[in-house]
Amino acid sequence: MAAADELAFHEFEEATNLLAQTPEATTTRSDQLTPQGHVAVAMGSGGSYGTEDDAEESDKAALLQEEKQQPGFWTFGYYQTFFDVDTSQVLDRIKGSLLPRPGHNFVRHHLRNRPDLYGPFWICATLAFVLAVTGNLTLVLAQKRDPSIHYSPQFHKVTVAGITIYCYAWLVPLALWGFLQWRKGVRERMGPYTFLETVCVYGYSLFVFIPTVVLWLVPIPWLQWLFGALALALSAAGLVFTLWPVVREDTRLAAAVLLSAVVLLHALLAMGCKPLPPELLEPPHQATAQPPNIPLPPTLPKSMAT
């Protein structure tokens, strides 16, 4: 019996030494879990120290795993995120581009730091296809009114329209983004949009020209100009209202020059989309002129020739 009391005394002495070294430790006695009733010393404050460490380690591991899983820009997985949009988001962004108003920023209210390339890609493709189709239909309708106009299918218009529109939708935003990045170094308060946000803004701004090109089939010149002016006003206003919160921190001269260049380039694109009159596209078909009759020298009778 004495031996048992002496063993218990030594166990409590060991626990006391541990508590002296770590004042925040707690002691628990468990006759079932520890052999021979040894005293277990739990390190921690209030029993939650180990739990907090585990939570922090799990959060760090999750963050590291997300960083490792992020694909590089040279892989398809990187660009897949820019096509991850649903129909409601695309329709909301199209509606925002058709109804611009002062104080309503397209990037902040519709993109919400999640630009997509799905909408701009298909808007440019649809606009190029509609331009090619309406260009051919314009000649067909003109031929019915004037049979002297010769119609021949012009499939090259699809290629020309596609190259022009895609170059405009990518090169102009690239130049604009580069200019804003340069001005950011001059004016530190400026916060320009990212390149993909700028491309997204330009891509959705071209949607208004799709129904306008179809309405241009109406053979009334003043009505065509009215439709074109309305489409240009809506599209250019959306760009100006979106860029104004960024360029207003710059000087007045730089802001005026930048916005004027944006509107001018957009006006040139609208003029390029408008079909020319049929007589300028395809001159009337004329038959090839026959060479004039050249009189032959008179022939002598056979009797005189001999």
Side-chain angles (χ1 to χ4, degrees):
M1 187 70 181
D5 294 338
E6 184 179 358
L7 180 60
F9 177 78
H10 286 296
E11 290 175 353
F12 281 107
E13 185 178 3
E14 294 175 358
T16 304
N17 294 333
L18 289 174
L19 287 173
Q21 296 176 359
T22 56
E24 296 180 356
T26 59
T27 61
T28 58
R29 182 181 181 88
S30 177
D31 296 336
Q32 297 177 353
L33 297 178
T34 57
Q36 298 178 358
H38 288 185
V39 177
V41 180
M43 303 295 295
S45 176
S48 62
Y49 181 75
T51 306
E52 293 179 356
D53 287 345
D54 294 341
E56 291 179 0
E57 292 294 334
S58 60
D59 292 340
K60 291 180 180 180
L63 291 174
L64 292 175
Q65 187 176 4
E66 290 180 359
E67 291 179 357
K68 290 181 180 179
Q69 290 180 354
Q70 186 177 3
F73 70 93
W74 59 87
T75 61
F76 289 102
Y78 177 81
Y79 299 97
Q80 186 178 2
T81 58
F82 300 112
F83 291 86
D84 187 14
V85 289
D86 54 17
T87 305
S88 61
Q89 290 177 335
V90 174
L91 292 178
D92 178 71
R93 295 174 181 184
I94 290 175
K95 181 181 177 181
S97 66
L98 293 176
L99 300 174
R101 57 183 184 272
H104 190 79
N105 193 322
F106 183 82
V107 175
R108 186 173 67 251
H109 293 89
H110 296 281
L111 297 187
R112 297 183 181 90
N113 297 326
R114 290 191 60 186
D116 70 286
L117 297 179
Y118 180 87
F121 175 82
W122 286 112
I123 287 174
C124 293
T126 306
L127 181 58
F129 180 76
V130 171
L131 281 173
V133 171
T134 54
N136 283 272
L137 286 177
T138 301
L139 286 177
V140 172
L141 297 176
Q143 186 183 21
K144 291 183 178 181
R145 296 191 302 267
D146 187 2
S148 63
I149 297 177
H150 175 68
Y151 166 74
S152 60
Q154 300 177 353
F155 298 103
H156 66 280
K157 289 185 176 180
V158 180
T159 305
V160 174
I163 293 175
T164 303
I165 293 172
Y166 276 105
C167 287
Y168 177 83
W170 281 90
L171 296 181
V172 174
L174 178 61
L176 177 61
W177 175 76
F179 179 81
L180 292 177
Q181 288 290 335
W182 172 64
R183 295 302 298 177
K184 180 183 177 181
V186 179
R187 312 288 293 185
E188 295 182 356
R189 294 182 59 185
M190 291 181 60
Y193 304 125
T194 63
F195 172 65
L196 290 178
E197 287 176 344
T198 310
V199 171
C200 192
V201 170
Y202 263 83
Y204 279 102
S205 68
L206 297 178
F207 180 83
V208 68
F209 291 108
I210 296 177
T212 303
V213 170
V214 178
L215 293 175
W216 276 340
L217 290 174
V218 179
I220 303 176
W222 68 268
L223 196 58
Q224 292 179 350
W225 284 106
L226 178 62
F227 290 149
L230 180 61
L232 176 61
L234 292 175
S235 186
L239 292 176
V240 171
F241 294 155
T242 302
L243 295 174
W244 174 247
V246 176
V247 301
R248 68 182 177 184
E249 300 295 341
D250 206 340
T251 60
R252 292 184 178 181
L253 178 60
V257 170
L258 178 62
L259 295 179
S260 300
V262 168
V263 175
L264 178 61
L265 291 175
H266 224 58
L268 292 177
L269 178 69
M271 292 292 295
C273 293
K274 188 180 184 305
L276 295 174
E279 56 271 12
L280 297 179
L281 291 174
E282 189 72 24
H285 180 69
Q286 297 178 354
T288 57
Q290 298 293 334
N293 294 329
I294 301 175
L296 297 176
T299 56
L300 297 176
K302 292 182 180 181
S303 58
M304 295 180 62
T306 55

